[in-house]
């Protein structure tokens, strides 16, 4: 089973004559084109949040148009930049309006769980009692199937970042770790948000983050090729764990991105 992962596209209003808007759009178009050519084809594509920059209808319309070209089913989870309501409307997600986006995909050899980490008032993440209870209950309904969770904020410190911990409560790490310890069927947690490539673990599960698809917002140590490439991950399930590959694809049209001050995360 192959999963492709995109994150942090930060699409901005296409009506603005802004090279960054066009660069982000072309990065996504390039990644979609490359994912459609993968052999074998992915069973599932996940977007781990921060789909748009400013929560406008036109940004979500653009996302819908670009992502509708994907040939495999797409599943999304909100990042701190997203509107739950607009994400729901655009991608027909379960639940009501502004409630946390929580669902599982149970139709494959691997179970996938979408876990919304958006907080009410900050760009940091939150997993309140309701969501932690939902996660535990959902994991309890199938303890034998290999499972992966996809979420925006990583539940581990990103040690290569100046701001490594990105949840509003320190306790979240221990709370997630305790749940994973009780559910060793969770083999991987796929995240975004850090705008970096990073690997770690929590309890028995590996944690991976993919860098931002928006080239101008990447915080990885600078690789001269990265600024001109679309970047996405593939995760191949093999022998009970995932083999992750980072794909760099030259942009179809190159709008030179302009680096700004620290990214918004
Ligand atoms: Fe982001």
């Amino acid at each position: 089973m192959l999963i492709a992962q995109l994150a942090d596209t930060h699409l901005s209003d296409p009506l603005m004559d802004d090279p960054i808007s066009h660069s982000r759009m072309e990065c996504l178009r390039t990644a979609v084109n490359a994912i459609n050519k993968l052999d074998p084809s992915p069973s599932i594509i996940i977007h781990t949040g921060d789909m748009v920059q400013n929560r406008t209808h036109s940004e979500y319309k653009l996302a819908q148009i670009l992502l509708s070209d994907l040939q495999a089913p797409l599943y999304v989870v909100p990042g701190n930049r997203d509107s739950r309501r607009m994400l729901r409307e655009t991608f027909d997600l379960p639940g009501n309006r502004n409630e946390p986006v929580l669902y599982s995909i149970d139709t494959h050899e691997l179970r996938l769980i979408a876990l919304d980490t958006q907080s009410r008032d900050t760009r940091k993440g939150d997993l309140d009692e309701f969501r932690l209870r939902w996660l535990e209950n959902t994991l309890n309904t199938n303890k034998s199937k290999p499972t992966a969770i996809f979420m925006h904020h990583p539940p581990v410190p990103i040690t290569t970042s100046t701001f490594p911990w990105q949840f509003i409560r320190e306790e979240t790490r221990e709370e997630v770790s305790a749940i994973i310890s009780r559910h060793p069927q969770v083999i991987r947690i796929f995240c975004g948000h850090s705008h970096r490539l990073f690997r770690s673990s929590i309890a028995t599960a590996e944690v991976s983050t993919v860098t931002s698809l928006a080239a101008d917002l990447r915080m990885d140590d600078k690789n001269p090729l990265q600024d001109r490439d679309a970047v996405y991950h593939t995760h191949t399930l093999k022998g009970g764990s995932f083999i992750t590959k980072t794909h760099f694809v030259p942009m179809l049209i190159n709008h030179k991105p302009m680096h700004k001050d620290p990214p918004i995360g």
Side-chain angles (χ1 to χ4, degrees):
M1 181 177 175
L2 182 72
I3 297 171
Q5 181 190 5
L6 307 170
D8 296 278
T9 38
H10 288 264
L11 291 173
S12 48
D13 198 323
L15 299 177
M16 289 162 55
D17 188 16
D18 171 6
I20 288 181
S21 298
H22 288 278
S23 169
R24 293 177 187 179
M25 193 169 66
E26 289 307 325
C27 259
L28 180 54
R29 202 194 303 273
T30 300
V32 166
N33 189 54
I35 289 169
N36 282 341
K37 289 178 180 168
L38 285 171
D39 185 14
S41 302
S43 307
I44 279 177
I45 299 156
I46 55 174
H47 190 303
T48 44
D50 278 2
M51 186 169 286
V52 304
Q53 183 73 5
N54 298 308
R55 305 184 182 197
T56 66
H57 283 286
S58 56
E59 289 173 345
Y60 280 103
K61 187 68 193 168
L62 176 65
Q64 185 182 41
I65 290 167
L66 294 173
L67 290 166
S68 68
D69 284 340
L70 284 168
Q71 290 166 8
L74 171 71
Y75 297 96
V76 303
V77 70
N80 47 284
R81 285 271 169 185
D82 288 304
S83 154
R84 287 171 174 159
R85 182 178 60 78
M86 282 192 258
L87 203 64
R88 273 202 165 92
E89 289 169 2
T90 307
F91 295 97
D92 198 23
L93 299 176
N96 294 315
R97 292 181 65 82
N98 296 317
E99 290 175 354
V101 175
L102 304 166
Y103 60 98
S104 66
I105 304 147
D106 297 295
T107 50
H108 298 269
E109 61 180 294
L110 173 99
R111 189 177 197 212
L112 263 173
I113 293 177
L115 183 60
D116 183 335
T117 55
Q118 196 180 85
S119 60
R120 184 186 293 268
D121 299 316
T122 78
R123 290 173 182 172
K124 289 192 171 183
D126 189 22
L127 285 172
D128 50 23
E129 194 182 337
F130 172 80
R131 282 177 271 184
L132 290 169
R133 199 176 332 113
W134 178 88
L135 177 62
E136 179 106 48
N137 291 342
T138 302
L139 288 169
N140 274 331
T141 63
N142 191 336
K143 295 172 83 79
S144 59
K145 199 172 190 178
T147 299
I149 298 170
F150 64 111
M151 57 202 281
H152 184 63
H153 298 81
V156 293
I158 305 298
T159 54
T160 53
S161 169
T162 317
F163 305 101
W165 180 242
Q166 286 288 309
F167 277 86
I168 56 176
R169 293 186 306 116
E170 291 291 333
E171 298 87 338
T172 300
R173 186 179 180 188
E174 283 309 311
E175 290 162 349
V176 173
S177 179
I179 291 174
I180 303 299
S181 298
R182 293 190 286 273
H183 297 281
Q185 76 267 27
V186 179
I187 56 175
R188 176 70 75 88
I189 302 178
F190 302 119
C191 306
H193 186 66
S194 69
H195 294 204
R196 288 170 172 79
L197 300 168
F198 190 77
R199 294 289 285 270
S200 186
S201 62
I202 186 164
T204 52
E206 285 187 282
V207 178
S208 59
T209 67
V210 65
T211 193
S212 57
L213 190 51
D216 61 295
L217 295 177
R218 284 179 203 145
M219 294 297 287
D220 305 275
D221 289 339
K222 289 301 173 193
N223 169 343
L225 278 179
Q226 282 183 354
D227 284 351
R228 300 197 301 269
D229 291 351
V231 183
Y232 66 95
H233 269 172
T234 53
H235 310 284
T236 306
L237 183 61
K238 212 166 191 176
S241 63
F242 279 103
I243 299 167
T244 291
K245 182 178 177 187
T246 306
H247 297 252
F248 299 91
V249 189
M251 268 201 264
L252 300 173
I253 302 171
N254 190 14
H255 295 272
K256 191 172 174 55
M258 296 183 295
H259 287 280
K260 289 183 170 177
D261 287 330
I264 31 61

